[in-house]
């Protein structure tokens, strides 16, 4: 045995730092994994006809997505869903995806799955201008909601959907998906670069179906109801740093064709 030299200690510490175990990567779910997790079939059905709802303020795009998705979800009671019902169910103006999951639960939606890379608040987001102002104030509330979700109040899984897996379940007509995207990348091909935000800008859209490699979606910020995006472009917008690849998959009520669902009442949207 020899007394270690200062150089040797430094080398030992360096090795220790390099061999420190990394955080386990989230589970990657392909189409079969998504179908199993959501308990839906693989046969194709007609995608639901989803009314387009515009957001009313800068922060409520996620609420508009819930309002569009809820009438087509498997719910305990087939009652009309109004804008103020969603606002009450969400209960905050600093909206995170976990808030939308709890809002769906409060509206009686039964079969949906919240996928995310991070079950909580990623501290690195404090460096993003989009999160900087509210991250500290939101952190305790978000951590509490995730604890409740993991105790069984909401179906949440630390996992992400693969590009092809998401595309396949959207083609089936059996799923609607509330997706958090980077707005800059969502519109990167359609808008002039000078008109886009300079840094990450979170935005929610509702994915309503797919044909081939093209995904149909509803954008609460858009004037047009029917929008289409290439699957690769959507994937880039979904996996951008800041999104946590958040996705809420909502199982479509396959019996809705046999019974008329109450439509979204226009007067309910201010």
């Amino acid at each position: 045995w020899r007394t270690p030299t200062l150089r040797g200690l430094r080398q030992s510490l360096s090795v220790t730092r390099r061999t420190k175990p990394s955080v386990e990567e989230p589970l990657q779910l392909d189409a079969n994994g998504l179908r199993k997790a959501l308990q839906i079939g693989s046969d194709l059905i007609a995608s639901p006809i989803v009314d387009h709802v515009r957001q009313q303020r800068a922060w409520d795009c996620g609420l508009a997505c819930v309002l569009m998705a809820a009438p087509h979800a498997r719910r305990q009671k087939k009652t009309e869903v109004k804008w103020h019902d969603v606002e009450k169910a969400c209960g905050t103006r600093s909206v995170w995806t976990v808030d939308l999951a709890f809002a769906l639960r409060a509206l009686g939606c039964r079969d949906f799955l919240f996928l995310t890379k991070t079950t909580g608040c990623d501290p690195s987001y404090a460096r993003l201008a989009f999160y900087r102002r509210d991250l500290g104030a939101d952190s305790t509330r978000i951590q509490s909601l995730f604890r409740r979700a993991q105790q069984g109040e909401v179906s949440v899984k630390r996992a992400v959907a693969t590009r092809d897996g998401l595309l396949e379940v959207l083609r089936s007509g059996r799923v609607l998906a509330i997706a958090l995207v980077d707005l800059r990348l969502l519109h990167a091909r359609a808008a002039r670069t000078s008109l886009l935000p300079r840094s990450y800008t979170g935005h929610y859209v509702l994915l309503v179906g797919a044909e081939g490699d093209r995904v149909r979606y509803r954008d609460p910020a858009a004037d047009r109801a029917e929008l289409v995006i290439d699957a690769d472009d959507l994937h880039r917008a979904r996996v951008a740093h800041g999104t946590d690849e958040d996705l809420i998959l909502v199982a479509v009520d396959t019996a809705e064709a046999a019974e008329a669902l109450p439509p979204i009442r226009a007067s309910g949207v201010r």
Side-chain angles (χ1 to χ4, degrees):
W1 182 84
R2 292 185 303 169
T3 304
T5 63
L6 181 59
R7 180 181 178 183
L9 284 171
R10 284 174 176 164
Q11 289 175 337
S12 177
L13 287 171
S14 177
V15 170
T16 301
R17 291 191 189 103
R18 288 198 300 269
T19 58
K20 183 179 179 180
S22 59
V23 177
E24 184 180 350
E25 288 296 314
L27 188 65
Q28 298 263 337
L29 295 181
D30 60 10
N32 288 332
L34 293 172
R35 283 192 289 260
K36 183 177 180 180
L38 199 55
Q39 297 182 334
I40 58 172
S42 59
D43 52 318
L44 305 184
I45 63 172
S47 297
I49 299 173
V50 179
D51 290 338
H52 181 226
V53 175
R54 293 285 307 277
Q55 65 187 88
Q56 305 303 303
R57 289 143 295 196
W59 54 269
D60 61 10
C61 51
L63 276 65
C65 289
V66 169
L67 183 57
M68 288 187 276
H72 303 280
R74 301 171 186 168
R75 289 186 291 147
Q76 293 169 344
K77 294 182 180 179
K78 296 298 184 185
T79 54
E80 185 179 10
V81 181
K82 302 177 184 178
W83 188 270
H84 69 81
D85 297 325
V86 181
E87 286 185 321
K88 182 179 179 181
C90 189
T92 181
R93 293 190 173 197
S94 183
V95 179
W96 289 60
T97 312
V98 69
D99 293 307
L100 302 181
F102 273 89
L104 284 167
R105 175 182 177 273
L107 293 169
C109 299
R110 293 182 287 116
D111 299 320
F112 65 90
L113 175 64
F114 172 25
L115 302 179
T116 182
K117 283 174 63 175
T118 309
T119 52
C121 296
D122 185 336
S124 72
Y125 290 174
R127 296 192 293 270
L128 297 177
F130 183 81
Y131 288 104
R132 190 175 299 138
R133 186 184 67 179
D134 298 317
L135 186 63
D138 287 342
S139 180
T140 300
R141 178 177 64 82
I142 298 306
Q143 298 289 2
S144 175
L145 287 175
F146 270 107
R147 281 194 296 271
R148 289 172 54 191
Q150 290 166 335
Q151 290 167 3
E153 290 190 44
V154 161
S155 180
V156 62
K157 184 182 288 288
R158 186 171 177 268
V160 296
T162 64
R163 171 204 179 274
D164 293 343
L166 177 59
L167 192 60
E168 187 171 330
V169 295
L170 287 172
R171 288 192 196 116
S172 75
R174 293 180 171 274
V175 168
L176 299 174
I178 300 173
L180 178 60
V181 298
D182 187 337
L183 184 64
R184 300 173 304 158
L185 300 177
L186 186 72
H187 298 306
R189 293 198 184 204
R192 288 180 298 177
T193 305
S194 60
L195 299 178
L196 295 172
R198 292 186 178 182
S199 61
Y200 169 80
T201 302
H203 183 58
Y204 289 103
V205 295
L206 182 70
L207 312 179
V208 299
E211 291 86 28
D213 279 350
R214 306 285 283 172
V215 177
R216 294 185 295 106
Y217 70 102
R218 302 285 186 267
D219 184 347
D223 293 324
R224 289 171 49 206
E226 185 74 10
L227 295 173
V228 179
I229 187 171
D230 183 83
D232 288 335
D233 292 338
L234 173 64
H235 187 68
R236 278 190 289 270
R238 273 208 328 106
V239 303
H241 180 63
T243 67
D244 278 329
E245 298 188 42
D246 281 1
L247 195 68
I248 301 179
L249 297 166
V250 180
V252 169
D253 185 354
T254 54
E256 71 173 2
E259 56 177 290
L261 285 173
I264 298 171
R265 197 192 324 176
S267 60
V269 180
R270 296 194 297 273

